[in-house]
């Protein structure tokens, strides 16, 4: 029997399940719903959530939605609608752009943005990266997912392989307190207070969004609509997997985080200090999953000290390859630091493939999504239009004429980009949240997440991360195979090139991506048989001809733009 005050948690690995959880929780809410996110996009998933939240507000639930302004889509018409849709439905924008003459708008002009860039850069640069979803103060979600098709296995092309943790118990109170702190912060502005929303006078918009059909969901969620109300489905996916854990606590930055200048800071956010403290406690292993792997000098020093104290400690990291990443300019800095990671810090690095061998397991709806993408592509090639009514991306939610919309070009099948942010230390303590291993999360953006001290949970999370590292799912990063003299000379030149202040011109890199040869057993980097069992597939495997801009951009950023690292 669980002790009173015990927290129960489960991980949501599959995007479709994470969306089902949110829809079910919204429909189950009786008192309050509090949602905090960096990105909210006006696509089918974004509109579905808005529709469900409005229905909750209409039945008496107090809905509070806090969205980062700069990172989300900015549509005056939608904002004006949401500002007045129901007294129980409140939306605030975090840190809206301060435009010309100090005006705050949903849709800032180019002049407003240039003014903010020139005179309020520090404020403009800090964004709210937190993700929380709290229902009735009793159930909470946190992790990496924003609100867009790509986070819930619904997008043609890139989909995010992400992770949420669902929690029931006393720790939800801590999550709610953090949300309330942000909600009341002076830079969280109600839609009704923004200049352009106040002036908007098209009263016909309210009549256009009255039914579920008017939100133009395009048949995406017909199965989900039914499943979210089925007790058996909800129990199997959300309730049965819940496990009691020894301890759980929520950590988050203050909304103002820290004072900083353009390239320097006078401290770190609270969450950075908390996570650094967890890592310094490691004695046997550190397992990390992060979309971006760009270490600052203090982070490198922390891991270097850890390696010095525990020479045999196993530090393994799952991150994106260039082919999978959504941010080639950030990958470029990781690419630049590979020798430091492998030679100095002795990291074991695995870079995720855009189409992993276990795609069907990671995304059970992959065949349907692939079929949908192929259907749209066929329509486009044949010059046909969709038989379903599709959204006008200029004024989403508004009824459109049948010939107003054609599907966007679909250049490739669905593929994955890692977006999960997790940490496991010694299979004892874990973290799941919004924090990336990069300078922005460390020093600029606000972040949050759940720390869980429990051996069974930690082992489960570690196993999930290690599944992403398997040979069929990731490439191994290792030093290139060279003659000893050439290897040492190249390593020396790489070091010299890396410390140049503004450029890194040396083109011959220290490392490459390696793929397991068929029929060979996997072995660790450094094993005598490693180069016999693995083949060198280059620095940027599976970067197709249509994606060459990624490679050109990554190489160019690495060579000539290293000075932007503090902002990435």
């Amino acid at each position: 029997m669980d002790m009173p005050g015990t927290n129960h948690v489960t991980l949501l690995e599959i995007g479709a399940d994470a969306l089902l959880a949110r829809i079910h929780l919204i429909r189950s809410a009786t008192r309050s719903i509090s949602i905090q996110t960096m990105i909210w996009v006006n696509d089918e998933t974004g509109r579905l959530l808005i529709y469900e939240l409005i229905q909750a507000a209409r039945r008496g639930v107090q809905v509070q939605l806090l969205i980062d302004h700069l990172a989300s889509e900015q549509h005056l018409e939608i904002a004006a609608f949401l500002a007045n849709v129901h007294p129980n439905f409140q939306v605030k924008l975090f840190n809206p752009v301060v435009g010309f003459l100090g005006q705050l708008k949903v849709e800032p002009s180019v002049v407003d943005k240039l003014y903010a860039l020139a005179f309020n850069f520090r404020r403009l640069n800090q964004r709210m990266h937190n993700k929380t979803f709290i229902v009735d103060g009793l159930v909470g979600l946190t992790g990496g997912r924003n609100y867009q098709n790509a986070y819930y296995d619904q997008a043609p092309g890139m989909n995010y392989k992400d992770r949420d943790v669902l929690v029931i118990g006393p720790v939800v109170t801590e999550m709610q307190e953090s949300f309330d702190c942000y909600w009341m912060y002076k830079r969280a502005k109600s839609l009704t207070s923004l200049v352009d929303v106040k002036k908007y006078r098209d009263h016909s918009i309210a009549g256009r969004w009255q039914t579920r059909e008017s939100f133009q969901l395009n048949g995406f969620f017909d199965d989900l609509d039914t499943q979210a109300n089925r007790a058996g489905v909800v129990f199997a996916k959300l309730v049965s997997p819940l496990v009691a854990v020894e301890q759980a606590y929520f950590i988050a930055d203050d909304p103002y985080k820290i004072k900083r200048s353009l390239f320097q800071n006078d401290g770190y956010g609270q969450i950075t200090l908390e996570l650094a403290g967890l890592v310094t406690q490691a004695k046997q292993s550190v397992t990390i999953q992060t979309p971006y792997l760009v270490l600052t000098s203090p982070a490198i020093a922390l891991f270097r000290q850890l390696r010095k104290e525990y020479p045999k400690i196993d530090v393994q990291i799952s991150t994106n390859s260039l082919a999978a990443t959504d941010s080639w300019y950030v990958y470029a800095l990781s690419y630049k630091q590979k020798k430091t990671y492998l030679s100095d810090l002795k990291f074991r690095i695995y870079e995720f493939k855009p189409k992993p061998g276990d795609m069907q397991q990671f995304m059970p709806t992959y065949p349907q999504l692939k079929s949908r993408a192929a259907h749209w592509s066929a329509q486009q090639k044949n010059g046909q239009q969709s038989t379903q009514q599709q959204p006008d991306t200029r004024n989403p939610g508004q009824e459109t004429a049948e010939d107003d919309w054609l599907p966007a070009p679909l250049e490739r099948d669905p593929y994955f980009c890692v977006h999960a942010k997790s940490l496991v230390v010694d299979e004892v303590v874990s973290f799941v949240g919004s924090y990336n291993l990069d300078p922005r999360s460390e020093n600029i953006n606000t972040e949050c997440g759940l720390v869980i001290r429990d051996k069974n949970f930690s082992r489960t999370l570690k196993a999930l991360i290690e599944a992403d590292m398997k040979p069929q799912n990731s490439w191994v990063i290792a030093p290139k195979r060279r003659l000893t003299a050439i290897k040492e000379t190249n390593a020396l030149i790489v070091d010299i090139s890396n410390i140049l202040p503004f450029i890194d011109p040396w083109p011959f890199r220290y490392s490459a991506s390696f793929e397991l040869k068929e029929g060979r057993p996997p072995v660790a980097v450094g094993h005598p048989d490693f180069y016999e069992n693995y083949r060198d597939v280059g620095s940027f495997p599976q970067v197709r001809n249509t994606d060459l801009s990624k490679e050109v951009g990554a190489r160019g950023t690495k060579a000539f733009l290293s000075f932007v690292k503090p902002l990435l």
Side-chain angles (χ1 to χ4, degrees):
M1 180 178 296
D2 297 330
M3 297 292 291
T6 300
N7 290 292
H8 291 74
V9 303
T10 187
L11 292 166
L12 297 176
E13 296 288 306
I14 296 172
D17 292 348
L19 184 57
L20 181 143
R22 285 164 168 81
I23 298 302
H24 174 75
L25 289 172
I26 291 172
R27 293 178 180 179
S28 302
T30 60
R31 294 185 290 106
S32 64
I33 300 172
S34 304
I35 301 176
Q36 183 179 18
T37 187
M38 185 180 196
I39 298 172
W40 200 297
V41 172
N42 184 52
D43 57 14
E44 287 83 359
T45 296
R47 291 193 293 274
L48 172 67
L49 270 295
I50 290 294
Y51 170 78
E52 295 285 347
L53 290 170
I54 291 173
Q55 304 318 302
R58 286 172 175 166
R59 68 172 188 267
V61 178
Q62 297 294 320
V63 176
Q64 295 175 310
L65 182 57
L66 180 61
I67 307 171
D68 186 89
H69 182 220
L70 192 62
S72 293
E73 289 192 17
Q74 298 159 6
H75 292 287
L76 176 57
E77 183 179 42
I78 295 175
F81 166 68
L82 296 179
N84 300 285
V85 67
H86 196 280
N88 292 336
F89 192 101
Q90 301 178 69
V91 181
K92 287 187 176 183
L93 299 181
F94 184 84
N95 196 15
V97 174
V98 180
F100 187 63
L101 300 178
Q103 290 188 329
L104 303 179
K105 302 176 184 176
V106 168
E107 289 186 343
S109 66
V110 173
V111 172
D112 290 327
K113 292 178 180 179
L114 290 175
Y115 179 88
L117 189 66
F119 296 102
N120 289 290
F121 177 77
R122 287 196 299 175
R123 174 170 175 173
L124 181 73
N125 191 38
Q126 183 184 30
R127 308 317 310 173
M128 183 187 72
H129 198 237
N130 310 46
K131 287 96 175 172
T132 56
F133 185 109
I134 307 159
V135 173
D136 292 340
L138 301 174
V139 184
L141 278 167
T142 191
R145 289 186 175 96
N146 293 291
Y147 295 93
Q148 183 180 7
N149 282 341
Y151 293 93
Y152 302 95
D153 301 347
Q154 297 292 337
M158 187 187 71
N159 286 268
Y160 288 112
K161 189 177 189 302
D162 218 326
R163 176 175 297 117
D164 290 320
V165 57
L166 185 151
V167 57
I168 300 174
V171 72
V172 179
T173 301
E174 299 173 20
M175 297 174 67
Q176 185 69 60
E177 289 172 351
S178 175
F179 175 89
D180 292 343
C181 180
Y182 277 79
W183 184 260
M184 298 305 297
Y185 182 54
K186 63 183 180 180
R187 291 182 181 170
K189 302 295 184 180
S190 172
L191 287 180
T192 57
S193 69
L194 303 184
V195 172
D196 48 356
V197 174
K198 288 180 179 179
K199 293 181 179 179
Y200 197 78
R201 291 292 182 265
D202 185 356
H203 299 292
S204 67
I205 59 173
R208 291 203 290 266
W209 291 302
Q210 290 297 321
T211 65
R212 193 173 191 272
E213 290 72 25
S214 66
F215 280 75
Q216 298 177 348
L217 305 180
N218 301 316
F220 278 31
F221 311 110
D222 292 346
D223 290 340
L224 172 66
D225 189 40
T226 302
Q227 290 177 352
N229 291 334
R230 288 183 175 173
V233 173
V234 172
F235 183 84
K237 291 184 177 292
L238 305 180
V239 180
S240 180
L242 286 167
V243 295
V245 293
E246 295 176 11
Q247 182 189 18
Y249 58 94
F250 188 72
I251 57 176
D253 287 319
D254 292 323
Y256 51 83
K257 196 148 185 176
I258 55 173
K259 296 179 180 179
R260 71 190 72 77
S261 61
L262 180 59
F263 293 111
Q264 296 179 338
N265 53 273
D266 57 3
Y268 306 104
Q270 183 61 32
I271 196 167
T272 296
L273 297 175
E274 292 271 2
L275 294 179
L278 294 179
V279 171
T280 57
Q281 295 173 18
K283 296 178 175 61
Q284 298 174 343
S285 65
V286 177
T287 302
I288 296 171
Q289 189 160 46
T290 178
Y292 319 116
L293 178 58
V294 182
L295 297 189
T296 63
S297 295
I300 291 173
L302 184 151
F303 281 105
R304 185 172 280 130
Q305 182 62 30
L306 187 65
R307 175 65 63 187
K308 181 179 179 181
E309 293 179 7
Y310 301 98
K312 294 184 178 180
I313 195 166
D314 181 22
V315 180
Q316 54 180 351
I317 300 175
S318 167
T319 189
N320 279 308
S321 62
L322 181 63
T325 189
D326 64 343
S327 185
W328 53 259
Y329 42 89
V330 178
Y331 181 90
L333 275 299
S334 177
Y335 176 54
K336 175 182 171 68
Q337 292 181 315
K338 288 288 173 61
K339 181 180 180 296
T340 298
Y341 299 157
L342 297 174
S343 177
D344 299 349
L345 305 180
K346 302 293 190 298
F347 287 173
R348 291 198 291 142
I349 301 174
Y350 301 83
E351 293 190 349
F352 202 66
K353 299 177 180 179
K355 290 188 177 180
D358 292 336
M359 173 71 87
Q360 182 73 48
Q361 177 182 339
F362 297 151
M363 185 194 289
T365 58
Y366 177 71
Q368 297 94 306
L369 185 57
K370 185 176 180 180
S371 176
R372 182 196 297 168
H375 175 65
W376 285 3
S377 292
Q379 287 180 325
Q380 196 170 48
K381 288 177 182 177
N382 295 331
Q384 299 173 358
Q385 296 159 0
S386 173
T387 57
Q388 294 177 319
Q389 188 178 44
Q390 300 290 353
D392 178 344
T393 56
R394 292 166 299 173
N395 280 308
Q398 181 177 349
E399 300 292 335
T400 60
E402 190 174 311
D403 60 353
D404 279 350
W405 188 91
L406 283 176
L410 302 175
E411 298 181 354
R412 61 195 303 178
D413 289 337
Y415 70 98
F416 264 137
C417 167
V418 168
H419 198 257
K421 308 96 164 34
S422 302
L423 166 72
V424 182
V425 175
D426 286 348
E427 297 185 358
V428 173
V429 61
S430 306
F431 168 81
V432 177
S434 67
Y435 192 96
N436 297 314
L437 203 53
D438 67 6
R440 287 203 69 89
S441 286
E442 182 175 313
N443 295 316
I444 300 174
N445 291 345
T446 64
E447 308 287 352
C448 72
L450 195 66
V451 176
I452 298 170
R453 289 188 177 274
D454 186 89
K455 290 183 179 180
N456 290 332
F457 179 86
S458 296
R459 288 167 182 162
T460 297
L461 177 56
K462 183 177 180 179
L464 289 168
I465 298 173
E466 289 180 336
D468 291 346
M469 298 176 179
K470 289 181 178 179
Q472 66 268 31
N473 301 322
S474 289
W475 293 291
V476 181
I477 307 303
K480 285 179 171 290
R481 190 178 194 181
R482 293 188 174 101
L483 295 175
T484 301
I486 296 176
K487 180 179 179 180
E488 291 179 353
T489 301
N490 183 68
L492 177 61
I493 297 175
V494 168
D495 284 339
I496 295 172
S497 187
N498 281 348
I499 63 175
L500 294 177
F502 297 109
I503 61 172
D504 180 7
W506 185 245
F508 303 106
R509 305 316 297 167
Y510 175 81
S511 62
S513 301
F514 286 80
E515 186 170 71
L516 186 66
K517 296 178 181 178
E518 187 174 356
R520 298 295 183 91
V523 295
V525 176
H527 189 281
D529 296 334
F530 179 81
Y531 294 107
E532 301 303 322
N533 292 16
Y534 289 79
R535 66 171 60 89
D536 184 337
V537 291
S539 296
F540 310 121
Q542 290 187 17
V543 175
R544 309 178 319 157
N545 290 337
T546 54
D547 294 332
L548 283 180
S549 59
K550 272 188 170 184
E551 180 173 345
V552 173
R555 290 185 183 276
T557 300
K558 188 277 296 181
F560 303 110
L561 296 174
S562 298
F563 64 88
V564 302
K565 176 181 172 181
L567 300 179
L568 295 182

